[in-house]
Amino acid sequence: MQLEFWFEFASTYSYLAASRVEAVAAAAQVDVVWRPFLLGPIFAAQGWNDSPFNLYPAKGRYMWRDMERQCEGYGLPFERPSQFPRGGLLAARVARLGEAEPWLPDFVRAVYTANFVEDRDIAQREVIEDILHAAGLSAELVDAALAPENKQALRRQTERAQELGVFGAPTFVVGGEIFWGNDRLGQAIGWCAVHGG
Amino acid sequence: MQLEFWFEFASTYSYLAASRVEAVAAAAQVDVVWRPFLLGPIFAAQGWNDSPFNLYPAKGRYMWRDMERQCEGYGLPFERPSQFPRGGLLAARVARLGEAEPWLPDFVRAVYTANFVEDRDIAQREVIEDILHAAGLSAELVDAALAPENKQALRRQTERAQELGVFGAPTFVVGGEIFWGNDRLGQAIGWCAVHGG
């Protein structure tokens, strides 16, 4: 059975999920399909023009403290970035382009590390090019990611997220069921085990 | 070490937490302090005049499905109520009155059962009186709960929740740390074990 992992590069909890989804899924012999998408249009559709962690300060203060504790628990590095949320559009376009490529998981994790560990601005083209270069990939992937058909493909993917009922990130989708949040990864994997063919 | 369990009677996920907090805490030799409060004023302060599960329909659809799955996982009965959210003010006043009484946990669980299993309107005085009666308690507790000093005590308790940084329910508070959501109960208990004196 397949687990779809829907993630947004600006999302702190997507960083947690991206760091562990492969290992957790592999242990249960579940295949992961990576689904980059954008939360911006989904938030805009419900009247938010910013991250709910900025719009609702108590929720935001909690999230930053919770992230520190969660990262400590997982043994993950974490530094609160100087800017939040950072624009994940370009990174998402590259990820959409490489969705089925073997380099995708490492690229995704490198982008999260840049944003949430190294405090680098992932919205900048040169930062994404650096990440590709460090991974032994061609910076020309950025040009390909900016082609109209790839932009359109990411747009369609975000629309599909909305159709599935996705309203936040990360979200796991298994056989029509959606599971929201890094905390629900175990349950989504369990769903595969019980309902998988 | 003490674990404060902050709950709201209208909250679906508080029902999950109320059903298991005592057993989980007892297994770890942690004392539970029950803290009824009202989410209404806290939501109003961030511009919401209704439950976020009603204001944001995708989030609401997800919550109802998630509750079904969670209750199945915990072996808890659950029926989606015909009205949501139901006013928990009177029940919270009774719970505030009985905060330190041995009957409190059973009363709280009976109110959740009325709301989320039996589809009864817990905002009605006669429903609360029925619950008290079934528990062998005096319905006169309702009169005592409606005394001005008890109303004021609940108001202060909700203000204290806000001061602590509580923005949703359930929330667990341990030694100044807050943990939001039924999913975080295990982590809150773990915090007691590591940081308890």
Side-chain angles (χ1 to χ4, degrees), chain B residues 15 64 71 77-82 115-119:
Chain B
Y15 163 49
W64 292 114
C71 287
F78 177 68
E79 291 294 331
R80 179 173 171 172
S82 55
N115 192 2
F116 294 119
V117 182
E118 298 164 352
D119 196 22

Side-chain angles (χ1 to χ4, degrees), chain A residues 16-188:
Chain A
L16 300 183
S19 76
R20 66 195 198 98
V21 65
E22 281 194 308
V24 173
Q29 295 181 296
V30 167
D31 291 329
V32 179
V33 182
W34 297 65
R35 298 285 190 221
F37 76 111
L38 298 177
L39 273 178
I42 291 176
F43 284 173
Q46 51 190 39
W48 295 343
N49 60 358
D50 195 352
S51 163
F53 298 123
N54 291 338
L55 293 173
Y56 306 112
K59 204 177 173 70
R61 279 189 295 273
Y62 175 78
M63 182 276 285
W64 293 114
R65 176 63 185 135
D66 190 48
M67 278 295 293
E68 287 176 354
R69 291 187 310 223
Q70 294 290 104
C71 287
E72 197 182 322
Y74 289 126
L76 277 178
F78 177 68
E79 291 293 331
R80 179 173 172 171
S82 55
Q83 190 192 350
F84 179 84
R86 283 208 167 101
L89 176 59
L90 181 59
R93 284 172 170 164
V94 173
R96 178 64 192 79
L97 184 75
E99 202 172 276
E101 303 294 335
W103 52 261
L104 186 78
D106 283 341
F107 170 75
V108 171
R109 282 185 291 260
V111 174
Y112 282 118
T113 298
N115 192 2
F116 294 120
V117 182
E118 298 164 352
D119 195 21
R120 298 176 76 192
D121 186 0
I122 59 166
Q124 301 298 318
R125 182 179 176 132
E126 54 270 30
V127 171
I128 299 300
E129 286 178 346
D130 269 3
I131 289 169
L132 290 168
H133 184 74
L137 296 163
S138 166
E140 288 174 15
L141 285 168
V142 174
D143 290 321
L146 291 170
E149 59 273 23
N150 190 60
K151 290 181 176 180
Q152 180 57 22
L154 180 63
R155 224 171 281 131
R156 274 201 304 272
Q157 185 127 300
T158 296
E159 287 164 6
R160 207 191 127 217
Q162 267 177 303
E163 288 158 14
L164 286 167
V166 171
F167 57 91
T171 294
F172 308 100
V173 179
V174 181
E177 293 281 324
I178 73 172
F179 299 86
W180 172 52
N182 173 60
D183 294 326
R184 285 279 183 281
L185 174 55
Q187 200 187 353

Side-chain angles (χ1 to χ4, degrees), chain A residues 13 46-48 55-59 61-63 65-66 69-70 72 165-167 177-181 183-184 187 191, chain B residues 13 46-48 55-59 61-63 65-66 69-70 72 165-167 177-181 183-184 187 191:
Chain A
Y13 291 106
Q46 51 190 39
W48 295 343
L55 293 173
Y56 306 112
K59 204 177 173 70
R61 279 189 295 273
Y62 175 78
M63 182 276 285
R65 176 63 185 135
D66 190 48
R69 291 187 310 223
Q70 294 290 104
E72 197 182 322
V166 171
F167 57 91
E177 293 281 324
I178 73 172
F179 299 86
W180 172 52
D183 294 326
R184 285 279 183 281
Q187 200 187 353
W191 196 266
Chain B
Y13 291 106
Q46 51 189 42
W48 295 345
L55 294 172
Y56 307 113
K59 204 176 173 72
R61 278 189 295 275
Y62 174 77
M63 181 275 284
R65 177 63 186 134
D66 190 48
R69 291 187 311 224
Q70 294 290 103
E72 198 182 321
V166 171
F167 57 92
E177 293 281 323
I178 73 172
F179 298 87
W180 172 51
D183 293 327
R184 284 280 183 280
Q187 201 187 352
W191 196 267

Side-chain angles (χ1 to χ4, degrees), chain B residues 120-184:
Chain B
R120 299 175 76 190
D121 187 0
I122 60 165
Q124 301 299 316
R125 181 178 176 136
E126 53 271 29
V127 171
I128 299 300
E129 286 178 346
D130 269 3
I131 289 169
L132 290 168
H133 183 75
L137 297 162
S138 166
E140 288 173 14
L141 286 167
V142 174
D143 289 321
L146 291 169
E149 59 273 23
N150 191 60
K151 290 181 175 181
Q152 180 57 23
L154 180 63
R155 223 171 282 132
R156 274 201 305 270
Q157 184 126 301
T158 295
E159 288 164 5
R160 207 192 126 217
Q162 268 178 301
E163 288 158 14
L164 286 167
V166 171
F167 57 92
T171 294
F172 308 100
V173 180
V174 180
E177 293 281 323
I178 73 172
F179 298 87
W180 172 51
N182 173 60
D183 293 327
R184 284 280 183 280

